[in-house]
């Protein structure tokens, strides 16, 4: 697997993220607040991918942009889940988690891994988000408000996240080992990561697309 | 297979990622199927609850009808008979005397008792059926000259069972009563229309109208006992109920009863 495939996958991520952002903005008025936060996140993701591509073209390392996005992503995704759970009791926990992990991410960025790949931040944040996304499914399964999951936008967005995080969690956890011990160039691994991100974008697109669809009218109450 | 630790790492990484990916897909599929199964069970439970409510409603209405029948019979047979006897005795004892006013009062009371008894349970519904009874009700209401209640029936008449007939009669009676008492209507039309596999009952009036519920509103006791009873009877019939503004004033109440999908009570 060569650098060409990696470049192609990176460009595909960029444009698939762009499409997701477009549908999110197009449906904006019909979206609940949780999905608006998600659209904001995808807009940040698209901007960072665009910035990274520009930096790579100018032979500048995009690691700082990636780290910054990772820190922003954690905050926005936890905020999205907090709005989706609609449980005020989770407010303090969400704020505490975001504060602690953001602080750790910034400390790691400034003092520990600095301008390199911030693999510790990626690993801890991905593990946290993976846990929350799995909890979302558990919450959804035990929820008393039964809804057909295939008609629920957040279900598909969470599906995209669970699949992406499950597939890439080990990669994020092993990045440091791969760089320092195996001395791998990571091309194959990042290509794999990018393919999973493209798959996730397909789920995100579908989720935002169905979020704006008109729901069928309820039958009139006076009819039997 | 090489003994290179890097190869082991790659294999371990690929296997681990594949397992996690499969787990993720399995969780997604589990949530979809679990949720759909729970939805089906919920629908089943709701249907059972609805059936139970329908049975309770039917029992309540049956009990009400039975009680009405008993009171109507007692009024007609006992009180009516006693008033009749009293009238005969009065006539025999003082044919043109000072008790003329009393005789008039007895006559009026007797007529009231007969009317109340008929309203409670018209004898014609058992003997001649729904349409004759509704027609008779319209004629009786038109008799006093203050209001005109017209009756019409169009289309090919089909057979209804006794329960359906009684429910439709009560619906017509309640709607006409509402038009008279609340809307102060002067002209009312009760129309039966046989359309293919359904019977449409429409009650049109020229009254002041009322704030009828919106098409999506569930009718409950907040809308008044009359409307609530109307809704319950419509539910038992398996029919649909709609309200519309009449032109230029008044209301059109329409009850459409499907004939082939009626569930036996």
């Amino acid at each position: 697997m060569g650098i060409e495939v990696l470049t192609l996958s990176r460009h595909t991520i960029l444009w698939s993220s762009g499409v997701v952002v477009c549908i999110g903005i197009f449906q904006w008025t019909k979206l609940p607040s949780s999905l608006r936060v998600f659209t904001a996140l995808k807009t940040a993701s698209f901007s960072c991918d665009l910035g990274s591509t520009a930096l790579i073209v100018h032979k500048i390392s995009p690691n700082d942009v990636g780290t910054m996005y990772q820190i922003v992503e954690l905050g926005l995704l936890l905020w999205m889940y907090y709005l989706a759970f609609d449980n005020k009791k989770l407010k303090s926990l969400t704020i505490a988690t975001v504060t602690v992990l953001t602080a750790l991410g910034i400390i790691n960025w400034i003092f520990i891994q600095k301008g390199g790949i911030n693999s510790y931040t990626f690993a801890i944040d991905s593990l946290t988000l993976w846990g929350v996304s799995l909890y979302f499914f558990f919450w959804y399964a035990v929820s008393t408000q039964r809804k057909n999951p295939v008609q629920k936008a957040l279900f598909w967005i969470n599906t995209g996240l669970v699949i992406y995080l499950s597939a890439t969690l080990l990669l994020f956890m092993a990045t440091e080992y791969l760089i320092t011990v195996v001395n791998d160039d990571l091309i194959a691994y990042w290509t794999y990561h990018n393919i999973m991100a493209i798959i996730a974008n397909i789920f995100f697109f579908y989720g935002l697309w169905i979020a704006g669809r008109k729901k069928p009218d309820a039958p009139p109450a006076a009819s039997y | 297979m090489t003994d290179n630790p890097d190869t082991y790492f790659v294999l371990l990484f690929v296997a681990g990622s594949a397992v996690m990916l499969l787990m993720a897909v399995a969780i997604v599929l589990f949530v979809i199927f679990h949720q759909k199964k729970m939805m089906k069970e919920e629908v089943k439970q709701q249907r059972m609850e609805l059936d139970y409510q329908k049975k309770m409603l039917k029992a309540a209405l049956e009990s009400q009808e039975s009680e009405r029948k008993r009171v109507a019979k007692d009024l007609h047979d006992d009180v009516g008979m006693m008033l009749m006897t009293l009238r005969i005795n009065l006539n025999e004892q003082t044919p043109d005397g000072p008790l003329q006013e009393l005789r008039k009062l007895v006559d009026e009371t007797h007529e009231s008792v007969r009317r109340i008894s008929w309203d409670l349970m018209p004898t014609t519904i058992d003997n001649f059926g729904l349409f004759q009874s509704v027609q008779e009700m319209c004629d009786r209401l038109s008799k006093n000259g203050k209001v005109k209640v017209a009756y019409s029936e169009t289309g090919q008449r089909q057979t209804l069972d006794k329960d359906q007939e009684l429910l439709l009669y009560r619906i017509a009676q309640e709607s006409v009563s509402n038009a008279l008492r609340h809307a102060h209507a002067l002209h009312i039309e009760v129309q039966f229309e046989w359309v293919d596999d359904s019977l449409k009952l429409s009650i049109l009036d020229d009254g002041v109208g009322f704030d009828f519920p919106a098409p999506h509103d569930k009718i409950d006791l907040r809308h008044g006992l009359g409307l609530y009873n109307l809704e319950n009877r419509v539910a038992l019939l398996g029919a649909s109920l709609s309200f519309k503004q009449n032109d230029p004033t008044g209301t059109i109440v329409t009850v459409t009863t499907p004939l082939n999908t009626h569930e036996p009570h």
Side-chain angles (χ1 to χ4, degrees), chain A residues 171-189:
Chain A
L171 172 65
F172 289 137
M173 293 176 101
T175 305
E176 188 63 17
Y177 176 83
L178 287 167
I179 296 167
T180 54
V181 181
V182 184
N183 205 17
D184 196 292
D185 58 5
L186 295 183
I187 287 176
Y189 295 103

Side-chain angles (χ1 to χ4, degrees), chain B residues 133-143 149-151 190:
Chain B
S133 304
V134 174
Q135 196 166 5
E136 203 176 311
M137 176 181 74
C138 296
D139 292 345
R140 282 165 60 90
L141 290 167
S142 300
K143 230 180 222 175
V149 186
Y151 170 88
V190 180

